[in-house]
Amino acid sequence: MAHAIVNFILQSLGDLLIQEAVFLYGVEDKVLQLQTELMRMRSYLQDADRRQDENESLKNWISEIREAAYDSDDVIEAYALRGASRRNLTGVLNLIKRYALIINRFIEIHMVGSHVDNVIARISSLTRSLETYGIKPEIAEASNSMHGRQRALRRSYSHVIEEDIIGVEDDVKILESCLVDPNKGYKVVAICGMGGLGKTTLAKKVYHSLDVSNNFESLAWAYISQHCQARDVWEGILFNLISPSKELREEIANQRDEEVARMLYQVQVEKSCLVVLDDIWTTDTWKKLSPAFPHGRSSSAVGSKILLTTRNSDVPLQMDPSCYLHKPKCLNEDDSWELFQKKAFPKIDHPDLEMKKLGKEMVERCGGLPLAIIVLGGLLASKPTVYEWDTVRQNINPYLRRAKGQEQCLGEVLALSYYELPYQLKPCFLHLAHFPENLEIPTKKLIRIWVAEGIISLDQNEGEGEEALEDVAQRYLTELVERCMIQVVEKGSTGRIRTCQMHSLMRDLCVDKARQENFLVVINSWNVDETRGASRARPIGKVRRIALYLDQDVDRFFPSHLKSHHHLRSLLCYHEKTARLSEWGLMKSFFNKCKLLRVLNLEGIQGQAGKLPKEIGFLTHLRFLSLRNTKIDELPPSIGNLKCLMTLDLLTGNSTVQIPNVIGNMHRMRHLYLPESCGDSIERWQLDNLKNLQTLVNFPAEKCDVRDLMKLTNLRKLVIDDPNFGDIFRYPNVTFSHLESLFFVSSEDISIVHVALGCPNLYKLHIEGPIRNFPEPHQLSSKIVKLKLKGSGLHVDPMPTLENLPNLRLLELQLDSFMGKQLLCSRKGFPQLKSLLIYDLPNLEEWKLDKGAMPSLSKLEIANCTKLERVPDGLRFVTTLQDLEIRSMFAAFRTKLEKGGEDHYKVQHVPTVVFCYCDY
């Protein structure tokens, strides 16, 4: 982790040297010297990070390295920001004051230079100390480290079979079918999931299945270590497949690597083979092994196949994009309890009732993870008293981490996923420790916080062209999902991850590592004991990130617990209910003391007075500020000091917020959420300087000229209610090529065709208001996946246009969007549509749906279309439909669809049919 921190601080210094060299006047040489020393240290840190668990002194040295790196960033950036502030004052000072400022600056240069010299000396000394521990500047083999030994303990053997296997019968049948059914045609079958899920156990069950063994002429099992030698793996598989004589073994041993690979390749071409590759971690490992495995027709001719287990779903997709990817689920409550009983009560048929109660509580904490349940059951099997069981219950997390099952320590199994993360992903993973357990994490906000913190940096950008930091962060998030370290809860209409969360035990690992690395401190007013325990366990060092779990009485913990943390960089607040602050004035001391803050999330905290204190202006390093749902109704002019802001969320819950005319000077702004009204001032704003702006919600039409938008060429999302919006498309060459999401209120004068042609890459389009001429299919972006129309007043059926949008997945026709009597959806129309909502169409009498239309529809809602007498007959052919909701329709409409009704045959195949307010 120290390697990751040093790396992104190096990037931060590099950015300052390139982008803001003018503000580093007088200390440029010191910064370059510091950068050189950090680069020298970085070459040692990958080895040091890997080996720190072997030596407590080494762990302490690495902790000091982290602090030194952070200190260097603090002092340089603070100086640069003060330089920026001085530059803004130039020209407004009289001569005497200017000379005084110059003298003070020379004094400051000397002080900063001395401070940087001290940091450089510390880093140089620490680097020399690493050498005394045998740390080398090149990457050492992980097999020599503790993590290498952990992997060795995990080595699997096909003949060692777990007897107590619960809840995998359906998984085994699915996998057997994929391997033996010739009609399915899979050449690669993968079992993918987080550590401890039972992937290897499941693979062994399939490997020893009679159906599988009878289907192949030869079978082989190979355990793939993280740093495997391809030659050793090839030989092991080859010996399993051909059972060679002693002479042939010796002959193979003397062959060159390419000869062994060719021989193994040929065996799989000539006879049907099943090769199991257990615990393969990376695509690079597969690239080393792949020369010995046939691809395409050469393997399918005789039916040779590969079954693999992995924590990284990208591995099988690289092996074969058409592979079968099987993701086992955690055990349900009943299966979890059955497995636990087999381990905890191996010889007891009727366990003590109190033990059962305690056992069920502890099993629930395992979250259905088989290895956790096995470890827990094995631990408790040796503890015969209720007192001992209750002791384990009270301290279940450390017990689970330390206890062993099947020679595997649960903590080590899960920790392997962390140790094997690329350095740039480690801070992203540790950052997830901020979020309370069971919270669905909103990924859009998460990504913006990562960017604001500096966790995502441009030197990690690969390939040609410029990639936005948010896109890099999205890639990292996806990779954490692929590595099974976080779980997707919900995806948006475009397929991007909308919310995610962590398995409870993976989160425990995350929180534990974040504490060990002094990455984060949690202050928990929901559970004071937990906070105290965490504080005792926290390593000594400056607190730089705090997650604050608040109850309703905010004053007890906030901000009194925070104002002493002068080096704080990030404060994220969470609360289950509305958190109330007696007055916003209490924040003054916090704002005054924590001037290095980069991220401040106050979402949902509500104070009595609605004005944010002027001391907010001291937070000149701030990159992320969320005041959403705070009920704040006025911002002070000092908010203009926050020139580093990248994300500003002012959706405070008040429709009007008094905002001074300073937003246009925040040139780094990337995501701006404004209230419906920005105040009473008649002063005009200019936003055309915000060249980096990607998100603009509620364009302030009363303050700005809509033509400012023409210079915001990086916009990706725009929400605007301005009758003049369409006018800008009358200018030549006005194209928003990056715009992906547009919500605008139209008027009779706006040409929707011109807007559509000016936004050629839209994915989401929401139009409220009248539409004079609806575009033809070729005039709309073919990428559109989500379309909402409201108040359009269309008299011509829009379906012939909409059904030809090839990627449309969600369609809503809301209030008065269509004023005609009939909608017609033709055969093969809407090929990708998943969700259709038809609301408040007062004139709609008939809806025709041809057979073959909407072949992917899974959700349908019809509401308050009171002239519509029945659902279309073609609905019976939409076999993908899972949910049908009918709301605010006449009782006669409902009766026709209910069992025994004349139209019931149209919806009898739908698993869920719900009626609401259909009684009139």
Side-chain angles (χ1 to χ4, degrees):
M1 180 59 195
H3 181 270
I5 290 169
V6 168
N7 202 71
F8 73 70
I9 287 175
L10 272 170
Q11 175 63 33
S12 176
L13 294 179
D15 289 346
L16 282 170
L17 284 166
I18 294 168
Q19 299 169 13
E20 302 185 36
V22 66
F23 304 139
L24 295 176
Y25 173 78
V27 296
E28 306 99 311
D29 292 343
K30 299 289 185 184
V31 175
L32 285 167
Q33 189 180 346
L34 175 61
Q35 193 177 35
T36 301
E37 200 61 43
L38 282 170
M39 289 175 72
R40 189 168 81 89
M41 172 179 277
R42 181 176 61 176
S43 66
Y44 289 83
L45 282 178
Q46 207 154 353
D47 188 21
D49 266 344
R50 186 183 291 116
R51 294 171 55 182
Q52 63 175 306
D53 288 340
E54 300 172 19
N55 186 302
E56 193 63 32
S57 296
L58 178 59
K59 185 181 290 188
N60 291 334
W61 279 116
I62 289 175
S63 177
E64 288 194 41
I65 289 168
R66 283 197 306 269
E67 292 304 313
Y70 276 131
D71 286 347
S72 66
D73 195 34
D74 290 346
V75 65
I76 297 299
E77 188 166 305
Y79 179 79
L81 280 171
R82 286 196 294 273
S85 299
R86 280 192 297 269
R87 193 184 190 198
N88 291 334
L89 292 173
T90 303
V92 301
L93 299 174
N94 62 37
L95 191 61
I96 296 174
K97 287 185 178 180
R98 195 171 300 171
Y99 280 128
L101 189 64
I102 291 170
I103 293 170
N104 287 335
R105 186 170 188 184
F106 279 120
I107 294 172
E108 186 179 14
I109 288 171
H110 176 74
M111 292 176 63
V112 170
S114 297
H115 198 149
V116 174
D117 282 339
N118 289 336
V119 173
I120 290 171
R122 281 170 64 195
I123 291 171
S124 181
S125 174
L126 288 166
T127 304
R128 288 195 300 272
S129 298
L130 289 175
E131 293 172 344
T132 67
Y133 291 100
I135 302 300
K136 299 176 182 179
E138 67 274 2
I139 299 172
E141 276 293 315
S143 57
N144 295 327
S145 70
M146 176 180 289
H147 315 319
R149 291 196 294 276
Q150 290 170 359
R151 280 190 291 271
L153 286 173
R154 286 177 39 76
R155 185 178 185 92
S156 65
Y157 299 92
S158 63
H159 65 278
V160 180
I161 304 172
E162 170 64 33
E163 294 180 0
D164 298 321
I165 304 175
I166 303 297
V168 300
E169 296 80 6
D170 292 340
D171 298 275
V172 171
K173 288 178 182 176
I174 291 169
L175 292 167
E176 285 177 346
S177 175
C178 291
L179 291 170
V180 305
D181 187 344
N183 295 321
K184 296 196 171 176
Y186 295 115
K187 296 182 284 295
V188 174
V189 176
I191 305 171
C192 182
M194 67 183 289
L197 193 57
K199 302 181 294 294
T200 298
T201 300
L202 179 56
K204 287 180 182 178
K205 188 81 172 171
V206 173
Y207 183 78
H208 289 286
S209 156
L210 285 177
D211 287 344
V212 170
S213 58
N214 291 337
N215 190 71
F216 295 95
E217 297 174 67
S218 296
L219 294 90
W221 181 284
Y223 171 73
I224 312 298
S225 69
Q226 179 72 356
H227 295 274
C228 71
Q229 298 298 316
R231 170 64 179 253
D232 295 339
V233 175
W234 292 339
E235 282 190 9
I237 295 171
L238 186 58
F239 292 166
N240 271 311
L241 294 180
I242 65 175
S243 302
S245 63
K246 182 180 178 182
E247 292 77 11
L248 184 53
R249 282 175 180 262
E250 292 175 354
E251 182 183 333
I252 292 171
N254 292 322
Q255 289 180 343
R256 298 192 309 274
D257 288 355
E258 58 266 29
E259 292 175 321
V260 176
R262 190 182 305 115
M263 188 174 182
L264 176 54
Y265 185 105
Q266 199 59 34
V267 168
Q268 296 173 83
V269 169
E270 292 174 354
K271 62 179 183 178
S272 64
C273 305
L274 174 65
V275 176
V276 178
L277 303 177
D278 182 41
D279 205 21
I280 182 168
W281 281 72
T282 67
T283 55
D284 287 340
T285 301
W286 168 245
K287 287 174 184 176
K288 290 195 293 184
L289 297 174
S290 61
F293 292 90
H295 305 285
R297 294 179 181 177
S298 56
S299 62
S300 60
V302 294
S304 289
K305 299 187 178 183
I306 296 173
L307 173 65
L308 70 136
T309 69
T310 182
R311 301 187 189 194
N312 188 345
S313 61
D314 193 42
V315 173
L317 293 172
Q318 289 287 332
M319 293 169 67
D320 180 2
S322 62
C323 70
Y324 179 77
L325 190 60
H326 185 71
K327 296 185 177 181
K329 295 180 179 178
C330 289
L331 299 179
N332 61 32
E333 185 178 340
D334 292 338
D335 287 340
S336 295
W337 180 244
E338 184 181 350
L339 177 59
F340 173 77
Q341 288 186 103
K342 286 180 179 291
K343 296 297 180 183
F345 310 118
K347 299 177 181 178
I348 303 174
D349 293 330
H350 302 289
D352 179 87
L353 288 176
E354 187 62 27
M355 283 185 170
K356 284 182 67 176
K357 179 182 176 183
L358 292 169
K360 288 194 173 184
E361 185 177 338
M362 287 185 278
V363 167
E364 184 179 352
R365 191 70 186 83
C366 294
L369 195 67
L371 181 58
I373 296 166
I374 291 168
V375 166
L376 179 65
L379 170 69
L380 293 171
S382 61
K383 298 184 182 299
T385 69
V386 171
Y387 175 79
E388 289 174 298
W389 278 49
D390 197 34
T391 301
V392 174
R393 179 192 64 81
Q394 293 176 41
N395 303 278
I396 187 167
N397 287 349
Y399 268 104
L400 280 176
R401 283 197 294 271
R402 293 193 302 265
K404 294 190 176 183
Q406 300 175 312
E407 299 302 319
Q408 299 178 54
C409 175
L410 175 64
E412 292 175 359
V413 169
L414 294 177
L416 273 176
S417 292
Y418 172 72
Y419 293 131
E420 298 302 338
L421 283 175
Y423 71 87
Q424 68 268 23
L425 291 185
K426 284 185 177 178
C428 297
F429 175 73
L430 293 184
H431 193 277
L432 296 169
H434 280 88
F435 297 92
E437 190 171 7
N438 299 321
L439 179 75
E440 291 187 12
I441 302 168
T443 59
K444 189 180 291 185
K445 183 175 180 180
L446 174 69
I447 282 170
R448 291 170 185 175
I449 291 174
W450 283 357
V451 170
E453 279 227 35
I455 288 175
I456 311 297
S457 56
L458 289 174
D459 72 336
Q460 296 153 15
N461 184 10
E462 298 173 359
E464 298 180 358
E466 290 191 10
E467 185 178 18
L469 288 167
E470 289 81 358
D471 293 334
V472 178
Q474 183 71 46
R475 282 199 286 111
Y476 291 170
L477 180 71
T478 301
E479 188 167 349
L480 288 172
V481 170
E482 290 172 347
R483 289 171 176 268
C484 301
M485 300 188 76
I486 57 177
Q487 302 163 340
V488 176
V489 177
E490 183 183 3
K491 285 190 174 184
S493 53
T494 62
R496 284 197 172 186
I497 303 166
R498 179 175 288 163
T499 58
C500 65
Q501 63 183 181
M502 306 177 80
H503 187 281
S504 59
L505 294 176
M506 186 62 78
R507 180 182 177 274
D508 290 341
L509 167 73
C510 182
V511 170
D512 192 48
K513 290 297 177 188
R515 188 161 54 235
Q516 288 176 23
E517 300 278 1
N518 199 25
F519 187 86
L520 167 70
V521 170
V522 174
I523 299 178
N524 189 350
S525 66
W526 305 343
N527 185 340
V528 179
D529 293 334
E530 182 181 317
T531 297
R532 288 173 181 162
S535 298
R536 285 196 300 271
R538 179 172 54 80
I540 297 172
K542 297 166 184 171
V543 175
R544 299 187 184 273
R545 295 177 186 84
I546 288 179
L548 192 57
Y549 299 174
L550 294 166
D551 57 17
Q552 289 177 285
D553 185 10
V554 177
D555 290 3
R556 281 195 306 138
F557 284 85
F558 186 61
S560 58
H561 278 58
L562 307 174
K563 60 186 178 184
S564 61
H565 298 308
H566 298 177
H567 294 270
L568 195 64
R569 287 165 168 258
S570 171
L571 175 65
L572 302 182
C573 300
Y574 303 97
H575 40 86
E576 294 175 323
K577 300 177 181 178
T578 301
R580 300 196 182 280
L581 190 67
S582 58
E583 59 170 328
W584 283 107
L586 290 175
M587 300 293 296
K588 291 180 180 180
S589 59
F590 170 66
F591 291 157
N592 192 31
K593 297 291 185 182
C594 300
K595 294 179 181 178
L596 294 175
L597 206 65
R598 290 186 176 198
V599 173
L600 180 58
N601 176 41
L602 298 176
E603 185 172 329
I605 297 176
Q606 297 182 3
Q608 293 298 318
K611 183 174 181 178
L612 198 65
K614 65 181 181 182
E615 286 76 9
I616 187 72
F618 290 133
L619 305 182
T620 52
H621 293 255
L622 206 62
R623 269 91 162 149
F624 179 101
L625 175 60
S626 177
L627 301 175
R628 183 171 292 210
N629 296 327
T630 56
K631 296 300 182 181
I632 283 174
D633 56 21
E634 185 176 354
L635 300 183
S638 62
I639 198 84
N641 296 344
L642 311 186
K643 290 184 169 49
C644 291
L645 271 178
M646 295 177 169
T647 297
L648 177 59
D649 191 337
L650 297 177
L651 296 177
T652 67
N654 290 326
S655 59
T656 300
V657 178
Q658 303 295 331
I659 302 173
N661 183 14
V662 295
I663 302 293
N665 296 322
M666 298 177 177
H667 297 161
R668 295 188 186 183
M669 188 70 72
R670 303 168 80 88
H671 308 284
L672 179 60
Y673 294 82
L674 295 171
E676 292 178 23
S677 171
C678 296
D680 305 328
S681 170
I682 60 172
E683 192 176 2
R684 300 295 289 174
W685 292 9
Q686 277 189 285
L687 298 184
D688 55 353
N689 288 325
L690 306 183
K691 308 296 185 185
N692 295 305
L693 200 63
Q694 296 178 23
T695 304
L696 177 53
V697 171
N698 293 331
F699 174 80
E702 77 279 14
K703 302 279 188 184
C704 296
D705 189 324
V706 73
R707 288 174 294 183
D708 284 359
L709 290 173
M710 294 163 58
K711 295 187 178 180
L712 306 183
T713 55
N714 286 307
L715 273 179
R716 295 187 177 191
K717 177 175 181 176
L718 175 62
V719 176
I720 181 170
D721 180 1
D722 187 333
N724 299 316
F725 175 57
D727 293 345
I728 63 175
F729 295 97
R730 294 173 181 165
Y731 291 89
N733 303 318
V734 174
T735 302
F736 293 93
S737 57
H738 291 100
L739 196 65
E740 297 176 354
S741 176
L742 174 62
F743 180 138
F744 74 97
V745 178
S746 65
S747 66
E748 291 285 358
D749 296 328
I750 291 181
S751 169
I752 304 301
V753 173
H754 289 157
V755 174
L757 291 174
C759 305
N761 294 305
L762 284 178
Y763 286 88
K764 301 177 183 179
L765 177 59
H766 187 158
I767 305 174
E768 287 193 7
I771 297 177
R772 186 171 45 188
N773 295 308
F774 200 71
E776 296 295 322
H778 68 276
Q779 295 172 323
L780 286 169
S781 166
S782 62
K783 298 177 181 178
I784 287 180
V785 297
K786 183 176 182 179
L787 177 63
K788 296 184 180 182
L789 301 177
K790 183 177 181 179
S792 310
L794 295 170
H795 288 274
V796 177
D797 182 2
M799 294 304 196
T801 291
L802 301 179
E803 68 183 9
N804 286 298
L805 294 175
N807 293 298
L808 188 63
R809 290 179 174 83
L810 187 150
L811 174 62
E812 293 188 16
L813 300 178
Q814 298 184 9
L815 177 68
D816 296 340
S817 56
F818 176 60
M819 301 303 291
K821 296 181 178 181
Q822 184 185 78
L823 292 174
L824 173 61
C825 303
S826 58
R827 182 173 173 271
K828 294 185 178 181
F830 296 103
Q832 298 292 329
L833 194 67
K834 304 285 186 184
S835 176
L836 174 62
L837 289 76
I838 301 175
Y839 296 166
D840 300 301
L841 305 186
N843 298 335
L844 182 62
E845 297 177 2
E846 185 179 17
W847 174 23
K848 290 185 176 181
L849 188 70
D850 289 349
K851 182 178 179 180
M854 301 186 183
S856 304
L857 192 69
S858 61
K859 179 180 179 180
L860 172 62
E861 293 185 23
I862 302 173
N864 201 28
C865 299
T866 51
K867 289 187 178 180
L868 183 65
E869 295 186 358
R870 51 175 40 90
V871 297
D873 184 70
L875 205 60
R876 62 193 173 105
F877 301 114
V878 184
T879 56
T880 55
L881 190 59
Q882 298 294 308
D883 297 287
L884 173 62
E885 183 174 338
I886 308 295
R887 288 190 288 109
S888 302
M889 299 288 283
F890 289 125
F893 190 91
R894 183 195 67 195
T895 303
K896 290 175 186 176
L897 291 175
E898 291 177 330
K899 194 170 183 178
E902 60 186 275
D903 286 346
H904 179 67
Y905 72 97
K906 301 177 184 178
V907 298
Q908 61 184 356
H909 62 289
V910 182
T912 304
V913 180
V914 176
F915 298 95
C916 300
Y917 310 112
C918 296
D919 300 320
Y920 51 94

